[in-house]
């Protein structure tokens, strides 16, 4: 029921053709290699180049920086198809540009875009976003990393943590406080820090899931970066960060219902071929109900997400409604994924506890999607404030 082979309100023939190319790319280049990449704790650089050549990195960006200049449903196609591999770490690391690069493309100078956005979109460089600090991630306005002006440079000092692609990134989009006198949201800027900047050190972090993704703790010890590396207007970084988070949350919603669908498909196939008490377990009413409950939650999360994106593209909602619905979609989709991972492991029985099934991996990985990019609690706070509740 989830396949949409015909063009419809959201997907044109071009989207469908792009989807077919990506599906065979994922089947051929990604799915067979996940176990090896999880052992290595990172993706190979060659994957970024192959993905860049196909337009995987470019779906979000305009043609002048090497993107495909499509609408947001091209990004939906990318996120859904990459997630079909059932490994969140692949989606996270291959997609770290989708949180690291949009502020640069929207607000950066032409020179910065040529130097960093173009190679990232081509798959020649890896970008990452560094906002979260050891002192806390939810309260972005409280961030402490300082950038102090010294002639034509900023000198950056501070720490960032849980940074996706942090070990491999060639360039970081870093949220810093450029005006130490301003507390809270004021005085925050985004600045680009090349990965080879003296004084920048990285430590890998061990995790319960996303094993194919490298996650790092970063220390900036008096890192000198040209003033021209500031993205957009100085002191306006908080607003840019919030818009960036909003798009990240839509992406997480897409990844979540897509991963939920992987669980549903695996559980359905298992239930149809696993026999107990004289027949396939799919004929037991309780198992059938579980599968229907899974399908319903996936359908609801996907339909909500498509509707939000379509209405945003067609400028039909005020910003507060868009932000509130996006926050609700992230919670709805990640909770659908949590439900589906749990039920799929249950339907698979002992096999669901074994390494090698997608449901086992997704069961371990679902938690991060209810935390990263804004926790469930923060999403509900945000939706409430945007709706005037
Ligand atoms: C694998 C992984 C990858 C990540 N990748 C990146 C990345 O690439 N870049 C980046 O910048 N960050 C990244 N993060 C960080 C992520 O965005 C943060 O973990 C997240 O925003 C939560 O921040 P925190 O962990 O500091 O929790 P905290 O902010 O300390 O929150 C702890 C708990 O308190 C709750 N809480 C906080 N405030 C409130 C409130 N007002 N009301 C109710 N409850 C509240 C939270 O919901 C949570 O349950 C990543 C995290 C993980 C785990």
């Amino acid at each position: 029921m989830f396949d949409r082979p015909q063009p419809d309100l959201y997907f044109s023939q071009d989207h469908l053709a792009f989807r077919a190319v990506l599906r065979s790319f994922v089947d051929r280049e990604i799915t067979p290699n996940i176990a090896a990449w999880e052992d290595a704790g990172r993706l190979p650089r060659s994957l970024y180049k192959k993905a860049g050549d196909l337009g995987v990195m470019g779906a979000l960006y305009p043609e002048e920086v090497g993107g495909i200049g499509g609408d947001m449903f091209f990004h939906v196609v990318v996120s859904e198809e990459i997630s079909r591999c059932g490994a969140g770490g692949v989606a996270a690391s291959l997609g770290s540009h989708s949180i690291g690069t949009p502020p640069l493309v929207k607000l950066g100078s032409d020179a910065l875009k040529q130097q960093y956005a173009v190679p990232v979109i081509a798959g020649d460089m890896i970008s990452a976003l560094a906002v979260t600090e050891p002192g806390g991630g939810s309260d972005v306005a409280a961030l402490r990393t300082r950038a102090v002006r010294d002639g034509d440079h900023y000198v950056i000092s501070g720490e960032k943590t849980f940074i996706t692609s942090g070990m491999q990134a060639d360039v970081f989009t870093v949220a810093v406080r450029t005006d130490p006198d301003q507390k809270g949201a004021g005085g925050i800027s985004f600045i680009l820090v090349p990965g080879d900047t003296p004084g920048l050190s990285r430590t890998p972090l061990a995790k319960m899931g996303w094993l194919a993704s490298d996650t790092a703790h970063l220390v900036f010890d008096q890192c000198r970066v040209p003033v021209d590396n500031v993205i957009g207007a100085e002191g306006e970084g908080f607003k840019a960060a919030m818009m960036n988070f909003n798009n990240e949350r839509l992406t997480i919603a897409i990844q979540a219902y897509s991963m939920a669908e992987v669980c549903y498909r695996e559980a359905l196939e298992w239930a149809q071929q696993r026999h107990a008490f004289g027949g396939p377990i799919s004929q037991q009413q309780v198992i059938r109900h579980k599968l229907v409950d899974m399908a319903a939650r996936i359908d609801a999360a996907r339909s909500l997400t498509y509707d939000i994106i379509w209405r945003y593209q067609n400028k039909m909602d005020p910003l507060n409604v868009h932000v509130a619905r996006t926050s609700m979609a992230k919670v709805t989709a990640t909770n659908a994924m949590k439900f589906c991972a749990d039920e799929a492991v249950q339907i698979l029985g002992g096999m669901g506890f074994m390494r090698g099934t997608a449901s086992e991996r997704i069961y371990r990985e679902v938690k991060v999607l209810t935390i990263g990019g804004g926790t469930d609690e923060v999403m509900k706070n945000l939706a409430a404030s945007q709706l005037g509740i």
Side-chain angles (χ1 to χ4, degrees):
M1 70 172 268
F2 296 118
D3 285 332
R4 291 171 175 245
Q6 307 297 331
D8 59 18
L9 178 64
Y10 307 116
F11 299 102
S12 67
Q13 204 62 57
D14 287 347
H15 293 112
L16 299 184
F18 188 50
R19 188 187 287 286
V21 170
L22 294 193
R23 190 161 296 185
S24 83
F25 170 70
V26 170
D27 288 347
R28 197 181 59 247
E29 301 282 349
I30 293 184
T31 309
N33 297 313
I34 291 169
W37 297 340
E38 292 201 326
D39 287 346
R42 56 176 57 189
L43 303 178
R45 277 192 173 255
S46 55
L47 181 69
Y48 292 81
K49 186 63 192 156
K50 288 176 189 168
D53 287 346
L54 284 182
V56 169
M57 316 296 199
L60 273 173
Y61 308 108
E63 286 171 20
E64 61 262 27
V65 287
I68 63 177
D71 64 7
M72 278 184 72
F73 283 97
F74 279 95
H75 177 61
V76 172
V77 169
V78 168
S79 300
E80 288 184 350
E81 292 307 317
I82 300 292
S83 299
R84 276 179 78 95
C85 77
V90 174
S93 263
L94 196 58
S96 65
H97 72 88
S98 73
I99 52 175
T101 305
L104 168 62
V105 171
K106 268 197 202 95
L107 304 167
S109 66
D110 285 345
L112 277 185
K113 283 191 237 185
Q114 286 307 318
Q115 197 175 351
Y116 295 109
V118 169
V120 166
I121 292 163
D124 294 324
M125 273 190 183
I126 298 173
S127 85
L129 177 74
V131 174
T132 304
E133 301 190 344
S138 299
D139 188 2
V140 175
L143 68 84
R144 290 168 154 186
T145 299
R146 292 186 322 277
V148 178
R149 182 91 186 233
D150 179 21
D152 291 340
H153 286 78
Y154 274 109
V155 180
I156 302 174
S157 307
E159 293 181 36
K160 298 287 179 183
T161 200
F162 310 146
I163 305 308
T164 299
S165 297
M167 294 306 295
Q168 293 217 82
D170 302 294
V171 59
F172 293 92
T173 300
V174 186
V176 294
R177 194 169 286 290
T178 37
D179 184 348
D181 295 333
Q182 284 222 47
K183 301 283 174 244
I188 292 175
S189 305
F190 265 143
I191 191 163
L192 277 189
V193 179
D196 58 1
T197 304
L200 170 59
S201 56
R202 324 167 186 215
T203 309
L205 299 171
K207 312 183 288 297
M208 79 192 241
W210 278 17
L211 302 182
S213 169
D214 71 278
T215 308
H217 185 93
L218 311 178
V219 175
F220 300 85
D221 181 11
Q222 308 272 316
C223 292
R224 290 181 72 82
V225 174
V227 169
D228 290 345
N229 279 23
V230 171
I231 298 172
E234 197 179 298
E236 296 288 316
F238 186 78
K239 236 187 312 178
M242 290 304 116
M243 267 330 281
N244 202 44
F245 273 130
N246 204 63
N247 292 334
E248 177 181 5
R249 288 160 190 163
L250 278 175
T251 304
I252 290 174
I254 300 164
Q255 290 172 349
Y257 68 67
S258 303
M259 293 282 176
E261 191 184 322
V262 172
C263 293
Y264 169 80
R265 287 182 193 277
E266 188 170 61
L268 175 62
E269 199 183 321
W270 178 267
Q272 286 172 337
Q273 52 92 10
R274 183 74 169 180
H275 283 240
F277 301 100
I281 58 172
S282 63
Q283 292 313 306
Q284 301 287 347
Q285 190 182 45
V286 69
I287 302 288
R288 295 158 73 80
H289 286 188
K290 282 182 192 296
L291 289 162
V292 169
D293 285 341
M294 291 162 77
R297 288 175 200 227
I298 295 163
D299 203 14
R302 184 198 307 262
S303 300
L304 173 62
T305 308
Y306 284 0
D307 183 65
I308 292 169
I309 293 173
W310 187 84
R311 290 180 67 84
Y312 179 69
Q313 269 189 182
N314 290 285
K315 302 186 174 31
M316 296 182 78
D317 286 326
L319 188 60
N320 66 316
V321 172
H322 174 64
V323 169
R325 293 187 81 212
T326 297
S327 306
M328 293 189 284
K330 180 179 185 282
V331 174
T332 302
T334 53
N335 281 284
M337 177 179 167
K338 201 193 290 182
F339 178 83
C340 291
D342 189 30
E343 293 292 41
V345 169
Q346 193 68 22
I347 291 171
L348 266 70
M351 188 53 79
F353 198 68
M354 297 296 129
R355 287 284 161 105
T357 64
S359 300
E360 180 274 335
R361 185 193 294 112
I362 293 170
Y363 186 85
R364 273 185 291 111
E365 294 192 335
V366 65
K367 204 65 200 155
V368 68
L369 292 189
T370 66
I371 296 170
T375 64
D376 275 9
E377 294 80 6
V378 168
M379 291 300 86
K380 290 179 190 177
N381 284 348
L382 180 59
S385 69
Q386 295 296 309
L387 295 177
I389 293 172

